[in-house]
Amino acid sequence: MVSISASAAPKRRTFGELLGSDLRALPVIIGLVVLWVFFALQSDVFLTPRNLSNLLLQSTVVGIMALGLMFVLLVREIDLSIAAIHGVTAVVSAKLIVEYGVSPLLALPLSVILGAAVGSVSARWVNWIGVPSFVVTLGLGLALNGIQLLLLPATARFGLMGTGVELIAQTTIDGVYAWLAWAIGIVFLALLILSSVRRRRRVGLEVSIMHSVVLPLVVSALIGAMAVVVLNANQGIPLPVLIFAVLLGLGGYVLNETQFGLYLYAIGNNAEAARRAGIKVPRIRTAAFAIAGGVAAIAGIIASSRTLGVGVFSGGGVGGGTLLLESIAAAVIGGVSLFGGRGAIHAALLGALVIGTVQNGLNLMGVKNEVRLIVTGLLLVLAVSIDKIIEKLTGQQAY
């Protein structure tokens, strides 16, 4: 009888397999660096603290929208109504504040709840009738555009100056408070990483402390520190940027540390297998759409604070305008698969930075808006193409 005393060495993953998991963000990061180098060579203003602060601020709304949309994409669905939810909830909160004298402390949370409720309606219709989500949400988006127009006054605009809402966009955190926010963020990230390591070890998976803990933590700390230095050199961390960072942290916790996050990935990879495993697929799908709607409403609040009002233009205008395109593009460019089941929380940040960099850089170069739309569209096609290539390299099938 032959006994085996040593366990077989773990099979080393190929570069293609790493691209499908640990290194999924690598093409995006390389592309972002190339864009920054290109625009820095085209304009002396691009890398100044003031412009980089504006770039981050400009990327916030799209990044938050992409973050919410990510939850829907993970379950292999799409929500084409998020831009309309963004617009109509912003108008509802402004109407409550301006016409009815409701405190922003009450009106703004109510708009977020409304956004979540509208998002859940789409999912319930999809679950009940079985109509594809892109059809349901497209129709709902158009209906919400009509409601938005009906809610607006004869002037087609509600001004928010002096209501307190404008303080969201005007508030910055600088000096020692900015560094305190950085420290809190790093501690939170460290706790997330250590929790993930403990969970993987409990199920017998090998974990490299250097690659799984030290390296990501050091890189994140350095990048965060550089961001704080740059922002402090201007006026500090804008409150919308900090809100985006908090939402990223909460999203990362939900996706990586909760059973709900595990269910999202399971449904996106194989909804039928998830159902047979006892996962309540309709309920999880409804929650994903509700999160997307609520997060879109938060983005609407920040956008209305920046523009000091709401109007026909809120939510990108009728049909979602460029806001819907940019939100989808940011999520997909950042690494969220359109085919479900794959995507990390940093995808919203990276994708938003790519979109924001293109907009900011082309504006500094004096390029017309038409060209910016062409570039954004091409980036979306390129991102989906890269996603399919990675699937072929890893042997995965999207459908």
Side-chain angles (χ1 to χ4, degrees):
M1 185 175 181
V2 179
S3 62
I4 300 175
S5 58
S7 60
K11 181 182 176 182
R12 296 188 64 181
R13 291 183 294 175
T14 65
F15 182 69
E17 290 172 335
L18 288 172
L19 274 180
S21 56
D22 296 348
L23 300 181
R24 182 62 185 88
L26 183 60
V28 189
I29 294 173
I30 293 174
L32 188 59
V33 170
V34 170
L35 285 173
W36 277 44
V37 171
F38 172 77
F39 288 125
L41 294 175
Q42 299 300 314
S43 173
D44 295 334
V45 178
F46 183 77
L47 291 180
T48 61
R50 181 176 181 180
N51 186 65
L52 291 178
S53 179
N54 288 336
L55 192 158
L56 284 175
L57 190 57
Q58 292 166 2
S59 304
T60 299
V61 170
V62 170
I64 292 175
M65 296 282 285
L67 173 61
L69 183 63
M70 177 181 175
F71 284 82
V72 177
L73 292 175
L74 284 177
V75 294
R76 199 180 289 198
E77 301 290 350
I78 187 72
D79 190 344
L80 300 180
S81 67
I82 57 168
I85 293 175
H86 167 119
V88 77
T89 54
V91 170
V92 167
S93 62
K95 192 177 184 70
L96 289 174
I97 294 169
V98 176
E99 288 194 354
Y100 297 98
V102 178
S103 169
L105 296 177
L106 177 60
L108 299 183
L110 284 176
S111 71
V112 176
I113 295 172
L114 175 61
V118 173
S120 68
V121 167
S122 298
R124 291 182 182 278
W125 192 267
V126 171
N127 293 331
W128 180 39
I129 304 296
V131 181
S133 56
F134 81 90
V135 176
V136 174
T137 55
L138 177 62
L140 178 62
L142 293 174
L144 291 175
N145 287 150
I147 294 173
Q148 178 177 332
L149 295 176
L150 289 174
L151 291 174
L152 289 170
T155 57
R157 189 180 189 277
F158 284 117
L160 293 173
M161 177 63 78
T163 62
V165 177
E166 76 279 2
L167 297 178
I168 297 174
Q170 295 174 1
T171 301
T172 57
I173 301 171
D174 59 359
V176 66
Y177 296 105
W179 287 109
L180 179 60
W182 169 82
I184 293 173
I186 296 302
V187 170
F188 182 80
L189 178 61
L191 292 175
L192 278 180
I193 292 175
L194 292 174
S195 176
S196 177
V197 168
R198 286 196 299 268
R199 188 176 65 255
R200 293 170 71 179
R201 282 184 167 175
R202 278 200 303 268
V203 296
L205 296 176
E206 285 193 19
V207 179
S208 169
I209 296 299
M210 177 59 68
H211 291 88
S212 300
V213 180
V214 177
L215 188 60
L217 200 55
V218 170
V219 171
S220 299
L222 289 175
I223 293 175
M226 288 189 293
V228 172
V229 169
V230 170
L231 293 173
N232 269 339
N234 185 40
Q235 294 178 330
I237 304 175
L239 183 57
V241 174
L242 191 59
I243 292 172
F244 184 24
V246 171
L247 291 175
L248 286 172
L250 292 175
Y253 174 79
V254 169
L255 292 180
N256 297 320
E257 301 298 321
T258 66
Q259 194 175 57
F260 173 70
L262 178 63
Y263 288 169
L264 289 173
Y265 287 103
I267 293 171
N269 280 290
N270 193 322
E272 180 58 24
R275 184 188 66 80
R276 295 189 178 190
I279 298 175
K280 299 183 185 302
V281 175
R283 183 177 298 178
I284 300 299
R285 185 184 291 127
T286 300
F289 275 85
I291 290 172
V295 171
I298 294 174
I301 292 170
I302 293 175
S304 62
S305 176
R306 289 190 60 204
T307 56
L308 301 178
V310 299
V312 178
F313 55 85
S314 297
V318 177
T322 60
L323 180 61
L324 179 60
L325 167 66
E326 290 169 355
S327 302
I328 297 173
V332 176
I333 289 171
V336 181
S337 176
L338 275 175
F339 313 111
R342 290 203 314 281
I345 198 65
H346 57 251
L349 174 61
L350 292 176
L353 285 177
V354 171
I355 298 295
T357 297
V358 170
Q359 293 179 344
N360 184 277
L362 293 180
N363 284 337
L364 291 177
M365 292 172 60
V367 176
K368 293 182 179 180
N369 186 57
E370 293 85 342
V371 177
R372 179 175 61 81
L373 292 175
I374 293 172
V375 173
T376 303
L378 292 177
L379 284 174
L380 176 58
V381 174
L382 179 61
V384 178
S385 301
I386 291 175
D387 191 37
K388 290 297 295 182
I389 292 172
I390 289 174
E391 282 187 350
K392 292 179 181 178
L393 290 173
T394 58
Q396 297 173 343
Q397 295 295 323
Y399 36 164

